[in-house]
């Protein structure tokens, strides 16, 4: 019987997973021991994973409300090695365009799938390697770099396999682009291969995948797109004494002191209001000259002017 091979870019909004084909490697028990903070989160993701973009509101809120307890280690999963995955409803880059538009509406996060029509990516490996190279300089800047790469591909239709766009994203977050280039061509590749190998050994089959663990390796896993309460519950499960630190919002603009760019969905989740109310507040800030916005066909990104 022929078994259908699902294209990794065909993310299932209902299950909230971008899944890759299973390998032949034997899986091992996950050993993610918290050392720096009470809870360690091993996060397997990919720069072009649309579901990972979809959980940005939940993840950003988790960092603010439980940041004192959690340490997140980002791992790259290798969503699209190349276009040899030619079934499951997607056989060529142009097939992804409409799918991304649908995913955007489902998660209420802006995505312009036309990058797959205008300047399609042939792999997600180059931006993944770039993220690992960035980590050699600064872990926090590497996270900001990953975010910028996602904004480039999802909103600005930039092919983030191209060095010119990788370099621009790196410069925007304060990375040394010359050092990044050197590490991108050297150590970054090795680190990425280590991520792929470790992910296979852990049985990581899709993204996002998060392993939550305490110092004694008591753990739980969150797989795919889930509401915020599930991520919050995972932290509390492995560290029951964790206390939520409510996000203090002195004014609508104060939310941007935490994150320089926000979508309406992200803003609404952080401010605990409806998306409609959030848009009204954001548009007022634009009118006051405090924010500027980048609007695409499926939504808007607001950023500090």
């Amino acid at each position: 019987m022929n078994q259908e091979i699902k294209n990794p870019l065909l993310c299932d909004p209902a299950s909230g997973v971008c899944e890759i084909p299973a390998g032949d490697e034997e899986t091992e028990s996950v050993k993610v021991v918290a050392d720096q903070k009470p809870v360690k989160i091993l996060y397997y993701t990919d720069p072009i994973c649309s579901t990972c973009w979809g959980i940005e509101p939940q993840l950003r809120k988790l960092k603010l409300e439980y940041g004192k307890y959690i340490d997140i280690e980002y791992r790259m999963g290798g969503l699209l090695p190349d276009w040899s995955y030619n079934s499951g409803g997607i056989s060529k880059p142009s097939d992804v365009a409409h799918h991304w538009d649908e995913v955007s509406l489902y998660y209420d996060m802006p995505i312009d799938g036309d990058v797959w029509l205008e300047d399609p990516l042939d792999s997600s490996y180059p931006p993944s390697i770039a993220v690992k190279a960035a980590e050699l300089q600064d872990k926090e800047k590497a996270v900001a770099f990953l975010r910028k790469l996602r904004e480039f591909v999802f909103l600005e239709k930039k092919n983030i396999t191209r060095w010119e766009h990788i370099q621009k994203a790196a410069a925007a977050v304060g990375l040394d682009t010359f050092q990044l280039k050197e590490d991108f061509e050297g150590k970054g590749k090795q680190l990425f291969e280590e991520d792929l190998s470790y992910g296979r050994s852990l049985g990581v089959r899709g993204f996002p995948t998060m392993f939550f663990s305490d110092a004694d390796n008591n753990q739980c896993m969150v797989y795919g797109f889930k509401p915020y309460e599930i991520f919050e519950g995972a932290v509390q499960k492995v560290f029951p004494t964790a206390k939520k630190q409510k996000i203090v919002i002195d004014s609508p603009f104060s939310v941007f002191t935490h994150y320089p760019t926000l979508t309406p969905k992200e803003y609404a989740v952080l401010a605990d209001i409806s998306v409609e109310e959030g848009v009204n507040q954001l548009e007022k800030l634009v009118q006051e000259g405090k924010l500027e916005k980048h609007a695409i066909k499926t939504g808007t990104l607001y950023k500090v002017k």
Side-chain angles (χ1 to χ4, degrees):
M1 184 173 69
N2 293 329
Q3 184 175 3
E4 182 182 13
I5 301 174
K6 185 177 181 182
N7 187 285
L9 288 175
L10 190 63
C11 303
D12 181 358
S15 66
V17 174
C18 293
E19 194 170 49
I20 56 178
D24 299 325
E25 296 85 353
E26 292 186 7
T27 60
E28 60 185 50
S29 298
V30 184
K31 294 180 180 178
V32 185
V33 179
D35 47 10
Q36 298 182 14
K37 293 184 179 181
V39 180
K40 177 72 168 285
I41 302 175
L42 187 68
Y43 177 24
Y44 263 92
T45 184
D46 187 279
I48 69 170
C49 169
S50 57
T51 305
C52 297
W53 177 243
I55 69 161
E56 281 285 279
Q58 294 94 307
L59 184 57
R60 286 184 148 192
K61 185 171 186 175
L62 193 73
K63 288 178 179 179
L64 291 183
E65 293 195 335
Y66 292 93
K68 64 185 293 185
Y69 303 106
I70 64 176
D71 173 39
I72 304 177
E73 180 180 325
Y74 286 74
R75 296 277 187 148
M76 299 296 108
L79 182 62
L80 182 68
D82 52 51
W83 279 97
S84 63
Y85 299 130
N86 58 2
S87 62
I90 290 181
S91 60
K92 55 188 181 299
S94 59
D95 292 335
V96 186
H98 179 64
H99 174 66
W100 267 21
D101 290 344
E102 290 180 331
V103 169
S104 173
L105 295 174
Y106 192 90
Y107 295 135
D108 204 7
M109 287 285 283
I111 302 176
D112 192 336
D114 286 354
V115 64
W116 297 103
L117 304 176
E118 299 172 8
D119 192 7
L121 292 72
D122 55 13
S123 170
S124 68
Y125 279 27
S128 298
I129 294 169
V131 171
K132 302 311 293 185
E135 288 179 350
L136 292 169
Q137 288 189 44
D138 188 295
K139 292 292 180 73
E140 290 188 8
K141 287 182 179 179
V143 174
F145 175 54
L146 174 58
R147 168 72 185 205
K148 182 60 70 174
L149 288 172
R150 284 179 167 146
E151 290 177 4
F152 273 9
V153 70
F154 291 123
L155 289 102
E156 300 185 31
K157 301 183 292 184
K158 295 186 187 306
N159 182 336
I160 56 173
T161 67
R162 300 187 186 280
W163 177 252
E164 62 189 276
H165 299 315
I166 292 174
Q167 183 181 43
K168 185 177 180 181
V173 301
L175 288 166
D176 181 332
T177 58
F178 294 101
Q179 184 63 48
L180 185 73
K181 180 69 169 177
E182 181 179 324
D183 292 331
F184 176 76
E185 296 173 345
K187 182 68 172 176
K189 292 182 179 179
Q190 178 185 335
L191 293 175
F192 177 54
E193 289 297 331
E194 289 173 1
D195 278 6
L196 294 181
S197 177
Y198 189 42
R200 286 191 293 265
S201 71
L202 298 179
V204 174
R205 287 285 314 281
F207 317 107
T209 295
M210 294 186 188
F211 300 99
F212 293 69
S213 182
D214 67 5
D216 297 320
N217 199 35
N218 296 310
Q219 63 183 248
C220 65
M221 182 180 76
V222 177
Y223 183 46
F225 183 92
K226 296 291 187 295
Y228 177 71
E229 292 73 23
I230 300 299
F231 295 96
E232 181 180 38
V235 172
Q236 294 173 341
K237 182 175 181 180
V238 298
F239 193 64
T241 59
K243 297 289 190 297
K244 177 189 297 189
Q245 182 176 341
K246 292 295 292 183
I247 302 170
V248 178
I249 300 177
D250 299 321
S251 67
F253 186 72
S254 68
V255 181
F256 287 84
T257 62
H258 302 293
Y259 300 110
T261 63
L262 290 166
T263 67
K265 179 63 176 294
E266 289 176 318
Y267 179 82
V269 168
L270 294 178
D272 198 22
I273 57 177
S274 70
V275 174
E276 182 180 10
E277 185 180 352
V279 169
N280 290 335
Q281 293 182 8
L282 292 167
E283 285 297 320
K284 185 176 181 181
L285 291 172
V286 171
Q287 293 169 10
E288 293 173 353
K290 295 179 179 179
L291 297 179
E292 58 185 33
K293 65 179 183 178
H294 177 70
I296 63 173
K297 60 184 178 181
T298 57
T300 306
L301 182 75
Y302 294 85
K303 57 184 177 181
V304 178
K305 198 164 186 179

